[in-house]
Amino acid sequence: MNDVLTMEQIEFQAQADQQPIVQHIDIALRPQEFVALTGPSGSGKSTLLSMAGALLQPTSGALSINQTDVLRLNSQEKTKLRLQDIGFIFQSAHLLPYLKTADQLRYVGKLAGLTKQTMDQRIQRLLHMLGLEHRQHHFPRHLSGGEQQRVAIARAWMNDPSLILADEPTASLDRERGEQVVQTLRDQVKESNKAAIMVTHDTRLFAYCDRVIYLDNGQIDHVEASVVP
């Protein structure tokens, strides 16, 4: 089985005369793997996630997504890769306030050039999958925090990406809603044969992950296996 994401000896320096923000990073992610990335503030978690998402170019090392050498791609090719292969989920849902739930997903589908039939079918499948069918005609202001994050998850899945990158997706949610969001994310990773990395400080969420990667001072300190409930 081929890895969805591989990062080998990744290093990143903001400037040539500064200490690396991350260094000696080796990560491989297979389909159906849900991995947590944790560590103290300033340890390089968000920087590493940005490189995995082809938003930030490593200073050195090798990075591939679905056997595509990301470091050889130009700006336009990276944009296409992000649209086709990567789904992003952030701390806040970042929904467009003037679009209803279904239209949030439709907007992403249009950016990716999906046909109307494909978009409509996928929207209905995702809304059903995430229990949002009764909210498809609601604006974000009429949704709860948990519902907004579920819309964000649906939006991230809209283009059927191979890799999901979630940066503190439960930071603005209470415990119950946060665990519901993470469990939904994990279940879809397993059922859809995708892979995901989630940055989190919440140790309670580790139980939903296959592995927990601990970063410290820009390097992998250790990796722990987790038992999924």
Side-chain angles (χ1 to χ4, degrees):
M1 186 182 295
N2 292 324
D3 293 332
V4 175
L5 169 73
T6 59
M7 307 180 80
E8 299 176 348
Q9 287 299 298
I10 289 292
E11 180 175 302
F12 178 76
Q13 291 176 269
Q15 296 181 16
D17 60 346
Q18 293 182 342
Q19 285 290 104
I21 296 174
V22 297
Q23 58 184 327
H24 310 309
I25 298 294
D26 291 298
I27 293 174
L29 225 64
R30 291 195 163 194
Q32 296 191 341
E33 276 199 298
F34 184 30
V35 173
L37 185 64
T38 192
S41 297
S43 60
K45 300 184 300 297
S46 294
T47 298
L48 187 57
L49 208 68
S50 294
M51 288 188 287
L55 293 169
L56 195 61
Q57 182 88 350
T59 305
S60 62
L63 169 62
S64 66
I65 296 175
N66 288 332
Q67 288 70 60
T68 297
D69 186 346
V70 177
L71 304 189
R72 291 182 177 272
L73 301 181
N74 60 34
S75 179
Q76 186 175 7
E77 290 169 334
K78 287 180 180 177
T79 297
K80 184 178 179 180
L81 177 74
R82 288 192 293 270
L83 277 172
Q84 293 181 342
D85 291 311
I86 305 172
F88 295 93
I89 305 171
F90 303 100
Q91 291 185 29
S92 300
H94 293 300
L95 302 180
L96 297 172
Y98 49 84
L99 290 181
K100 297 177 181 179
T101 295
D103 293 330
Q104 303 279 345
L105 278 60
R106 187 169 287 108
Y107 176 72
V108 176
K110 288 181 178 179
L111 287 178
L114 301 181
T115 66
K116 183 180 184 303
Q117 182 179 9
T118 298
M119 276 193 292
D120 290 344
Q121 290 176 347
R122 198 167 290 176
I123 287 169
Q124 292 308 310
R125 178 177 62 82
L126 288 168
L127 293 179
H128 175 73
M129 180 176 74
L130 292 165
L132 291 166
E133 289 172 304
H134 65 301
R135 294 298 204 186
Q136 62 181 304
H137 301 303
H138 288 67
F139 289 103
R141 65 181 179 272
H142 298 139
L143 303 176
S144 69
E147 287 171 337
Q148 290 184 30
Q149 279 297 71
R150 278 186 280 157
V151 175
I153 291 175
R155 183 180 58 189
W157 286 107
M158 184 61 191
N159 294 333
D160 195 28
S162 302
L163 177 65
I164 293 289
L165 301 175
D167 191 0
E168 296 277 7
T170 66
S172 59
L173 304 177
D174 60 37
R175 177 177 179 176
E176 182 178 357
R177 286 176 176 172
E179 290 190 359
Q180 288 174 350
V181 164
V182 172
Q183 185 169 2
T184 298
L185 180 58
R186 181 202 68 185
D187 290 346
Q188 297 315 309
V189 165
K190 302 297 183 182
E191 293 173 13
S192 303
N193 204 38
K194 310 301 183 183
I197 299 177
M198 175 182 66
V199 170
T200 183
H201 287 99
D202 191 342
T203 58
R204 296 170 300 192
L205 301 179
F206 294 169
Y208 294 94
C209 302
D210 299 297
R211 285 182 288 152
V212 182
I213 299 174
Y214 291 82
L215 287 188
D216 191 21
N217 198 27
Q219 301 184 58
I220 294 178
D221 184 77
H222 65 285
V223 179
E224 292 181 359
S226 182
V227 179
V228 178

